[in-house]
Amino acid sequence: MSKRTRFVITSVILSLGFVGIQFLNDQNRFWAIGILGALTFTLFLWSLFETLKANMTLLTLVLPVMFTLGVGFFWFLLPTNIFAKVPIVIFYGMGIYILCLTANIYSVASVRTIALLRAARGVGFVITLLASFLIFDAILSIRTEIYYLIPAVFVFSLLLYIQGFWSMLLTKEYSKDLVYLSAGAALVTTELAAILYFWPVTIVVGSLLLTTSFYMLLGLGQAKLEGRYFKSTIREHLVVGVLIFIAMFISTHWGA
């Protein structure tokens, strides 16, 4: 069976999984999304088994799982009518297929040079930001206590950062520098989430700010790893961060 066929099968099965979740009650849906995340890992492992080994190339599987969980958690926040659900299922299915192609390029590029790598990195960067926004939005929507919020943000951020930074290296061997860089970036994002816990912002604005910090840290980290850590790159990311912060500050309701 060709890889393309496996990619299509993976996309269809996971999309049907989301359709099936619709028929479950709220409590079972939560567990079903976790199962769907595990199924995503399994199907991607099956789709890419020729090029994946028991080494750092397994990080290729992180983003598809995070994307599934992000869309799944966001699913809870949608209206129950079919007009809201169907577009999300279509969007998710297309996203999974694109991730199959992206993950395939990553896994092949870890073995040999491939021309489409830069395009795949761009796609991976965008989907990473999208997944981070959906996950942060879901976490903030729960309005849980801060001692649950902080570990949740840190774990999800760490996983997203480490796969994002690894996509610039595509090494097979364990790298302490990669882990330290990812942990440091995740810590900054977590600290910002802790500040937002006490800041009177809406869930969407808070999620957007966390995603912006993710954009800045991931973008700057990738630039450093790629050897293009220029002043213009730093200025570009900082300007975006400052503008978003100003917008958030203005939109904050400071009433008693």
Side-chain angles (χ1 to χ4, degrees):
M1 185 183 297
S2 68
K3 278 189 176 181
R4 291 273 182 175
T5 303
R6 277 177 274 166
F7 294 166
V8 172
I9 292 174
T10 295
S11 303
V12 171
I13 291 176
L14 292 176
S15 298
L16 291 176
F18 263 103
V19 174
I21 289 175
Q22 175 67 26
F23 299 99
L24 302 176
N25 58 46
D26 288 342
Q27 183 176 3
N28 290 331
R29 283 180 189 176
F30 180 82
W31 295 109
I33 290 171
I35 294 173
L36 200 60
L39 182 60
T40 302
F41 181 90
T42 303
L43 287 174
F44 268 77
L45 188 63
W46 167 67
S47 299
L48 303 168
F49 70 88
E50 296 98 337
T51 50
L52 292 180
K53 306 297 179 184
N55 51 37
M56 294 292 281
T57 57
L58 291 177
L59 288 174
T60 304
L61 306 177
V62 171
L63 185 54
V65 174
M66 292 295 105
F67 180 70
T68 293
L69 295 179
V71 176
F73 292 147
F74 184 72
W75 186 270
F76 281 99
L77 308 177
L78 293 175
T80 56
N81 65 76
I82 190 172
F83 298 104
K85 301 292 187 180
V86 171
I88 294 298
V89 172
I90 296 174
F91 164 78
Y92 173 73
M94 293 176 60
I96 285 295
Y97 184 76
I98 292 172
L99 277 172
C100 284
L101 298 176
T102 303
N104 182 55
I105 293 173
Y106 284 168
S107 59
V108 172
S110 66
V111 179
R112 57 183 173 85
T113 304
I114 184 170
L116 295 173
L117 179 57
R118 181 169 291 277
R121 283 170 172 165
V123 172
F125 185 83
V126 172
I127 295 181
T128 298
L129 293 180
L130 176 60
S132 68
F133 175 80
L134 295 176
I135 289 174
F136 291 146
D137 188 75
I139 293 175
L140 295 180
S141 297
I142 298 174
R143 299 185 183 277
T144 185
E145 299 296 336
I146 192 170
Y147 43 80
Y148 293 126
L149 172 73
I150 288 178
V153 171
F154 181 80
V155 170
F156 282 112
S157 297
L158 179 62
L159 291 172
L160 286 169
Y161 275 123
I162 198 168
Q163 65 81 28
F165 291 141
W166 175 81
S167 69
M168 307 307 295
L169 302 174
L170 298 177
T171 56
K172 297 180 182 180
E173 296 77 21
Y174 170 79
S175 171
K176 286 185 178 180
D177 292 338
L178 178 65
V179 175
Y180 292 155
L181 180 61
S182 303
L187 182 60
V188 173
T189 301
T190 303
E191 290 173 344
L192 182 57
I195 294 173
L196 289 177
Y197 181 82
F198 302 100
W199 197 300
V201 295
T202 63
I203 293 172
V204 173
V205 172
S207 304
L208 181 60
L209 182 62
L210 289 177
T211 305
T212 302
S213 74
F214 209 94
Y215 162 80
M216 293 172 59
L217 294 170
L218 183 61
L220 291 174
Q222 287 186 342
K224 180 177 177 61
L225 293 172
E226 198 177 13
R228 52 180 183 84
Y229 201 59
F230 308 124
K231 289 183 178 180
S232 58
T233 304
I234 298 173
R235 183 168 56 249
E236 171 192 335
H237 287 79
L238 290 180
V239 167
V240 171
V242 170
L243 290 177
I244 294 297
F245 178 80
I246 292 174
M248 184 202 72
F249 190 86
I250 294 174
S251 65
T252 299
H253 301 289
W254 296 102

